[in-house]
Amino acid sequence: MPNENSLAGCSSAPVLKERGQHEVFCGLTSIIWLHRKMQDAFFLVVGSRTCAHLLQSAAGVMVFAEPRFATAILEETDLAGMADAQLELERTVAELLSRRTDIKRLFLVGSCPSEVIKLDLATAAEKLSEKYFPRVNVINYSGSGIETTFTQGEDACLEAVIRGLEPSEEKQLLILGALPDIVHDQMLRILDQLGLKNVSVLPQIRVEDEVAVGSNTYFICAQPFLGASFDEMVRRGAIPITAPFPFGANGTTAWLKAIADTFGVSENTFKAVTDAPRRRAELAIEKVSKILKSRSVFFFPDSQLEIPLARFLNQECGMNLIEVGSPYIHKTLVGPDLELLPETTTLSEGQDVDKQLDRLLLGAPDLTVCGLGLANPLEAKGFTTKWAIELVFSPIHFYEQAADLASLFARPINRSEKLKIGRVA
Amino acid sequence: MKLSVWTYEGPPHVGAIRVATAMENVHLVLHAPQGDTYADLLFTMIERRNHRPPVTYTTFQARDLGSDTASLFKKSCIEAYERFKPELLLVGASCTAELIQDDPGGLAETLGLPVPVVPLELPSYQRKENFGADETFFQIVKRLSRPLEKTEEITCNLIGPTALGFRHRDDITEITKVLNSMGIQVNICAPYGATPRDIEVISQAHFNVLMYPETGEMACRFLERTFSQPFTKTVPIGVGALSDFVKEVSEIVGANEINAETYSQLPWYSASVDSTYLTGKRVFIFGDGTHAMAAARIARDEIGFEVVGLGCFNREMARPMRKLAASFGVDALISDDYLEVEKHIQAIAPELILGTQMERHIGKRLGIPCAVISAPVHVQDFPARYSPQMGPEGANVIFDTWVHPLVMGLEEHLLTMFRDDFEFHDQAGPSHHAAHSPSPKSELIPEAVTEGNLDHKIIWLQDAEKELRKIPFFVRGKARKNTEKYAQNNGYSEISIETLYEAKAHYAR
């Protein structure tokens, strides 16, 4: 582990902090993947028609399945008096639970309007939990845009879950972050091969997957956007493990090594378990990333995955970093990745989208990683873009997905080289 | 409080964005929290627009509340003006900003910007997207229009098309063609493609063609009141409506008989013998009032369907819709509750649904074919090809679109003749669709090597087999083949998870 004196790379580089128009999603958007991951949970947003429309628009691009989320849309009458709104919420929840008997966990999710009118969802959740005990556990958190950006919605959700965990003094490893099933299983398999027996994951897929926390709990984040959950774990007495995030061969090795060292796994065992998949990943990345080598990339802020992914693209795919923008930089969490970024990288936090677009023009990158609102307008101007949101939904963690991750970035470049026609819309 | 899974309309500020985005040289400053920028992707992704919508979102955060949201709004206005130099600035608030009551209109007035500023009242907790568009366009017209002499030649304005509208782009072209064939020129089309300067000359046209009452009626009524500009009441979707529209226009411009290019293939296609199988098919129709009412007439009078259910999601259209439904002998369903619509469809069990993207979801779940006739729409409802709904070509497009999801005439007979045929059976679906599945595939157990010429059999270990099933179905077949080939080339007799991933890495491209 590097000590304070050997900080390098971008760890102490100045960060361009910007206020202005943020072209990002609010935290409600994470419901799109959380509701698929937590199979007995339902997410009830208490908000406006805008919230419902956002979820539909974000989800409509991606899923067609019967959703386990809905919006309790506030109406004129709800805005008049608080007591009224509490009763209305109880009525709405009763309506929902009578229709969906499969629900075991109900998340009441706060939104911008519910926060502004100070609707007390904590008290509502407490009351409802009592009323529906033991069938349904009701938990509240806020996914509002005035407090959370995109993936911070998952962070706020996990933070609330952690707060409700039972205490346990058993020695264990807890991994934080929702991962696609295939990645989840690979991770558990490799940890098992390393000899770690007591491993659990948050969020739980089902409420029966019991998870507890205490001072013998070691934890590590599998996603870089879990700052508040990280802090809450520390408050519960758990011991953090930090490492570069498990993207690419190097990232995965470093992440697993940090765990192995904490749990005293021998060097021989570590090598025996990781050597083959690591070499496999390295070879596969090498093949896929030829087209990325020496090209430049510019990240708009989106999911907080930007810094670890920039580390991967630079260190393992040979790309040059122009600007790496992130909605929020949690230095403890992404510190190990920051250390590995070249000092020449511009780091930015927050956003003033018009100014950032000006910098994009100046930087003229070969690849721009940005949100859906910007991608087509930039393509029309001749920029090659990668939709950031795909990085949140695709299996990209650990050895076996390393080349897939590289190819997500290679594909747009490939495409613009293949198309022999103009792209003016 | 209203429990809602999917919504037919967005909030009113999305309507305002649809108008601003459709126009040129207009900019909207929207007082809104972080996250409301999601609306941009409706235009850039679903409609594939090549420009960002001309909207500045103030992006206030929790820490700004109670302290400085008003000056944040003013700063955003000034910066937006400086950067984009619009001819007209619209200002408004989204649902959250409405609650903090900063009064964007009043604040913007104090800035003394050198262009007209139109404040928008968008009551988020009472009204919806269509109202927002209608109101925004009305306010723009009210602010910029002025009395002018009528043009020498006969002209009209096309009123109502917006960004993100269902086929608006192509309807404009088609209706312009029809009008031109009558010797009528288009003065301006608005909001779609209009600049604020265009709106200034709106009153010089002889009349208005109200293409979409949902988003243009308030402006048309204002123009009729203020400048004695009559507007058309028939929306020319379908052969009969097109003919009524031509008559209406003739009367407005004072000619008894004007010949218009209204020839469509639809009447012959409906009359040809293959269409016998369409006769009496039971259809359920739902959408915005305008499109649903037009579809009902086409369905009954121009194709010969039996309309067993009819309704719309926008209450503004409840009255005409109820009246029309009564004349069809059905009760109108006026609801924006997706679950209620689903229940209704389930109860009447139609053979075809003509609806929105929402009804496509419902149809998919209930196994009922569905064609889309109205917004809300999906990316596939913005086709690259020319596909209007209005005018003669619109009628052609409608015939093809509605018939496409159905099993074709002769095929229907084959289904009846060979009930348990391996290729024609109830679950197979129309054979011209990709999803047609003659024989149920059994893919649960990956067979060992299926291709010949292999020296020895290769066995999939159970774990590897399970892992394979986690790979998405559309690439699973390829993954299986590659892994087996890889195993064979390396002389393996078993495939483990390890082999699976070795092969994956080997074939990585």
Side-chain angles (χ1 to χ4, degrees):
Chain A
M1 293 287 272
N3 61 43
E4 285 295 311
N5 301 324
S6 71
L7 287 180
C10 272
S11 337
S12 50
V15 176
L16 183 61
K17 296 199 180 193
E18 287 197 308
R19 300 232 24 213
Q21 177 171 329
H22 288 22
E23 190 78 21
V24 291
F25 285 123
C26 67
L28 295 181
T29 320
S30 8
I31 291 172
I32 309 293
W33 65 86
L34 286 176
H35 89 282
R36 304 303 310 168
K37 191 71 204 173
M38 299 155 91
Q39 294 172 2
D40 52 11
F42 194 99
F43 293 79
L44 181 64
V45 176
V46 182
S48 64
R49 180 165 297 280
T50 312
C51 308
H53 196 236
L54 153 83
L55 284 174
Q56 169 164 345
S57 308
V61 181
M62 290 158 290
V63 290
F64 272 106
E66 167 84 39
R68 280 190 311 277
F69 58 79
T71 310
I73 297 181
L74 294 164
E75 293 169 307
E76 193 83 310
T77 46
D78 301 307
L79 302 175
M82 280 314 97
D84 201 18
Q86 289 282 354
L87 285 178
E88 276 292 288
L89 189 58
E90 279 180 39
R91 184 187 57 75
T92 310
V93 168
E95 183 188 338
L96 176 71
L97 292 179
S98 70
R99 233 194 16 236
R100 298 293 298 264
T101 47
D102 53 327
I103 301 171
K104 292 185 181 148
R105 282 177 285 180
L106 175 65
F107 289 93
L108 297 181
V109 190
S111 66
C112 296
S114 80
E115 293 295 324
V116 167
I117 64 168
K118 305 213 177 341
L119 192 57
D120 185 0
L121 293 184
T123 306
E126 222 170 277
K127 271 199 207 160
L128 288 165
S129 267
E130 272 170 37
K131 184 172 169 192
Y132 292 101
F133 180 85
R135 199 190 112 199
V136 188
N137 184 19
V138 186
I139 304 165
N140 78 291
Y141 73 91
S142 171
S144 82
I146 56 178
E147 295 152 307
T148 59
T149 308
F150 195 24
T151 48
Q152 282 177 320
E154 177 176 329
D155 189 22
C157 174
L158 286 193
E159 186 194 8
V161 169
I162 294 166
R163 217 177 288 136
L165 292 182
E166 293 294 321
S168 158
E169 288 306 309
E170 215 177 320
K171 186 171 179 182
Q172 60 162 337
L173 174 65
L174 189 54
I175 294 155
L176 302 186
L179 294 170
D181 296 352
I182 190 165
V183 173
H184 180 109
D185 296 351
Q186 277 173 19
M187 174 183 78
L188 292 181
R189 199 156 53 226
I190 209 159
L191 290 172
D192 181 61
Q193 287 165 352
L194 286 173
L196 276 82
K197 290 301 163 216
N198 209 350
V199 181
S200 38
V201 183
L202 279 182
Q204 311 99 306
I205 294 174
R206 303 192 159 276
V207 74
E208 295 83 22
D209 306 339
E210 277 180 28
V211 178
V213 66
S215 58
N216 283 318
T217 303
Y218 292 82
F219 76 97
I220 187 163
C221 296
Q223 300 281 20
F225 44 74
L226 299 173
S229 307
F230 181 99
D231 295 342
E232 185 59 30
M233 286 295 287
V234 171
R235 259 195 298 279
R236 294 291 308 260
I239 305 141
I241 305 170
T242 53
F245 282 88
F247 300 117
N250 297 358
T252 305
T253 305
W255 191 85
L256 291 170
K257 189 80 177 80
I259 296 174
D261 288 349
T262 306
F263 284 84
V265 176
S266 77
E267 194 62 30
N268 281 345
T269 310
F270 188 77
K271 273 188 170 311
V273 172
T274 58
D275 268 3
R278 197 196 68 234
R279 256 199 309 270
R280 204 149 68 205
E282 283 166 352
L283 284 174
I285 293 170
E286 197 183 312
K287 273 192 273 184
V288 177
S289 65
K290 276 192 193 104
I291 199 167
L292 298 175
K293 203 148 280 162
S294 301
R295 303 217 186 199
S296 58
V297 60
F298 189 112
F299 279 88
F300 278 80
D302 191 66
S303 61
Q304 293 186 47
L305 284 165
E306 296 81 8
I307 288 169
L309 292 179
R311 197 277 309 151
F312 166 72
L313 288 178
N314 173 254
Q315 194 188 38
E316 303 189 42
C317 301
M319 291 193 87
N320 303 321
L321 308 176
I322 297 182
E323 175 168 337
V324 180
S326 183
Y328 181 71
I329 300 176
H330 193 289
K331 285 225 167 165
T332 315
L333 267 174
V334 295
D337 280 293
L338 274 178
E339 281 174 31
L340 300 169
L341 295 190
E343 285 170 46
T344 48
T345 315
T346 300
L347 290 179
S348 62
E349 185 180 19
Q351 190 178 31
D352 182 328
V353 71
D354 291 311
K355 287 189 186 142
Q356 197 168 26
L357 286 165
D358 291 344
R359 294 199 297 276
L360 177 79
L361 285 177
L362 286 176
D366 297 310
L367 183 66
T368 306
V369 186
C370 62
L372 296 170
L374 296 175
N376 267 337
L378 289 176
E379 287 282 345
K381 280 189 183 152
F383 288 91
T384 299
T385 64
K386 167 84 218 85
W387 309 348
I389 199 166
E390 212 177 341
L391 300 162
V392 182
F393 290 102
S394 309
I396 58 170
H397 291 69
F398 301 107
Y399 291 126
E400 316 299 0
Q401 278 66 238
D404 298 345
L405 176 57
S407 62
L408 282 178
F409 295 100
R411 194 174 305 135
I413 298 182
N414 242 321
R415 185 182 68 147
S416 28
E417 287 186 355
K418 273 184 197 241
L419 295 179
K420 302 298 181 219
I421 45 175
R423 61 167 106 192
V424 178
Chain B
M1 218 171 270
K2 188 160 171 36
L3 188 63
S4 160
V5 183
W6 300 113
T7 67
Y8 286 93
E9 288 182 76
H13 72 258
V14 168
I17 299 176
R18 283 175 59 187
V19 170
T21 304
M23 292 183 69
E24 319 245 326
N25 307 340
V26 170
H27 199 85
L28 166 64
V29 177
L30 195 68
H31 206 14
Q34 167 174 270
D36 281 3
T37 48
Y38 81 85
D40 284 0
L41 80 87
L42 302 171
F43 301 90
T44 61
M45 295 303 294
I46 296 179
E47 200 178 8
R48 294 183 215 251
R49 286 202 167 244
N50 62 358
H51 278 84
R52 289 167 60 209
V55 185
T56 295
Y57 302 80
T58 57
T59 315
F60 55 82
Q61 291 172 296
R63 60 168 183 251
D64 302 319
L65 291 176
S67 61
D68 230 7
T69 48
S71 53
L72 178 65
F73 178 81
K74 288 201 270 190
K75 183 169 163 272
S76 302
C77 272
I78 294 166
E79 285 180 0
Y81 175 75
E82 288 299 328
R83 181 174 284 268
F84 300 104
K85 291 272 157 49
E87 290 170 28
L88 173 75
L89 195 70
L90 304 169
V91 298
S94 78
C95 55
T96 307
E98 187 184 334
L99 297 172
I100 58 177
Q101 301 182 325
D102 273 338
D103 183 22
L107 291 172
E109 278 304 316
T110 64
L111 298 175
L113 295 174
V115 290
V117 176
V118 174
L120 303 172
E121 292 291 333
L122 305 165
S124 302
Y125 300 92
Q126 299 162 28
R127 306 304 296 265
K128 285 174 263 178
E129 179 178 337
N130 280 331
F131 167 82
D134 200 20
E135 167 72 11
T136 301
F137 183 56
F138 162 59
Q139 292 298 342
I140 293 172
V141 169
K142 195 171 138 201
R143 177 62 176 265
L144 298 180
S145 61
R146 54 197 161 86
L148 288 172
E149 290 285 306
K150 297 281 180 267
T151 54
E152 225 164 276
E153 52 179 1
I154 298 175
T155 56
C156 67
N157 301 310
L158 304 183
I159 303 295
T162 63
L164 211 66
F166 184 63
R167 311 292 165 86
H168 289 193
R169 176 197 71 190
D170 297 342
D171 282 349
I172 294 168
T173 310
E174 186 70 8
I175 283 309
T176 303
K177 266 191 225 163
V178 170
L179 289 162
N180 288 350
S181 77
M182 299 169 82
I184 297 168
Q185 301 304 310
V186 171
N187 178 48
I188 70 159
C189 170
Y192 203 105
T195 64
R197 280 180 211 289
D198 290 335
I199 307 294
E200 287 174 14
V201 301
I202 198 167
S203 73
Q204 68 184 5
H206 292 236
F207 68 102
N208 289 312
V209 171
L210 175 54
M211 294 175 69
Y212 309 102
E214 273 80 1
T215 49
E217 188 160 348
M218 265 197 258
C220 277
R221 290 197 181 282
F222 168 81
L223 291 166
E224 186 177 52
R225 268 197 320 271
T226 317
F227 306 112
S228 311
Q229 261 179 338
F231 65 94
T232 55
K233 311 290 189 295
T234 315
V235 176
I237 300 178
V239 172
L242 177 59
S243 145
D244 289 353
F245 171 80
V246 170
K247 257 184 239 144
E248 206 187 338
V249 170
S250 303
E251 278 163 25
I252 289 174
V253 301
N256 289 334
E257 289 282 328
I258 301 188
N259 287 325
E261 292 291 343
T262 58
Y263 176 73
S264 167
Q265 303 277 3
L266 183 143
W268 167 239
Y269 270 57
S270 287
S272 67
V273 289
D274 188 76
S275 295
T276 311
Y277 80 100
L278 299 174
T279 311
K281 270 217 189 304
R282 307 170 70 252
V283 295
F284 171 79
I285 301 172
F286 195 82
D288 66 36
T290 298
H291 285 89
M293 288 192 286
R297 181 172 174 187
I298 300 170
R300 184 184 63 182
D301 300 343
E302 299 173 22
I303 295 184
F305 287 147
E306 184 192 352
V307 177
V308 291
L310 175 60
C312 65
F313 57 78
N314 47 339
R315 283 186 189 279
E316 291 91 342
M317 288 295 208
R319 272 176 67 188
M321 176 56 86
R322 286 213 171 89
K323 211 173 130 195
L324 184 76
S327 78
F328 277 67
V330 295
D331 283 332
L333 175 66
I334 313 290
S335 173
D336 66 347
D337 183 346
Y338 165 83
L339 297 168
E340 192 186 343
V341 177
E342 186 176 57
K343 226 183 277 168
H344 192 90
I345 292 177
Q346 208 158 7
I348 59 177
E351 290 166 276
L352 175 68
I353 303 170
L354 302 173
T356 73
Q357 277 296 337
M358 312 284 206
E359 283 68 45
R360 262 193 79 240
H361 289 230
I362 295 172
K364 214 168 140 189
R365 188 153 41 243
L366 301 178
I368 303 170
C370 177
V372 173
I373 58 156
S374 158
V377 284
H378 198 252
V379 62
Q380 72 207 43
D381 300 311
F382 291 91
R385 66 180 184 278
Y386 181 61
S387 39
Q389 297 290 290
M390 293 184 181
E393 184 60 21
N396 295 339
V397 168
I398 284 172
F399 184 90
D400 288 348
T401 311
W402 293 10
V403 167
H404 183 77
L406 298 168
V407 177
M408 282 184 286
L410 272 177
E411 199 170 359
E412 204 169 57
H413 293 300
L414 290 173
L415 275 177
T416 330
M417 277 169 75
F418 309 110
R419 279 212 171 268
D420 296 313
D421 186 276
F422 69 93
E423 197 172 1
F424 297 104
H425 57 86
D426 286 354
Q427 279 77 47
S431 66
H432 58 288
H433 289 191
H436 176 71
S437 53
S439 57
K441 281 176 210 125
S442 63
E443 55 149 38
L444 272 183
I445 296 159
E447 291 157 3
V449 180
T450 40
E451 281 175 326
N453 305 333
L454 288 183
D455 304 336
H456 55 276
K457 244 183 160 351
I458 295 170
I459 295 161
W460 280 79
L461 295 178
Q462 213 176 10
D463 279 355
E465 202 181 298
K466 268 198 202 146
E467 192 78 1
L468 181 69
R469 268 180 235 155
K470 294 173 194 161
I471 296 170
F473 70 91
F474 46 91
V475 286
R476 199 179 301 148
K478 193 172 164 208
R480 182 199 303 176
K481 237 170 35 196
N482 280 350
T483 309
E484 286 166 359
K485 206 158 105 194
Y486 178 83
Q488 192 209 359
N489 292 344
N490 287 279
Y492 298 164
S493 58
E494 292 177 345
I495 293 173
S496 63
I497 294 185
E498 201 70 357
T499 325
L500 179 66
Y501 285 118
E502 276 171 21
K504 185 181 179 211
H506 179 80
Y507 288 105
R509 268 180 296 118

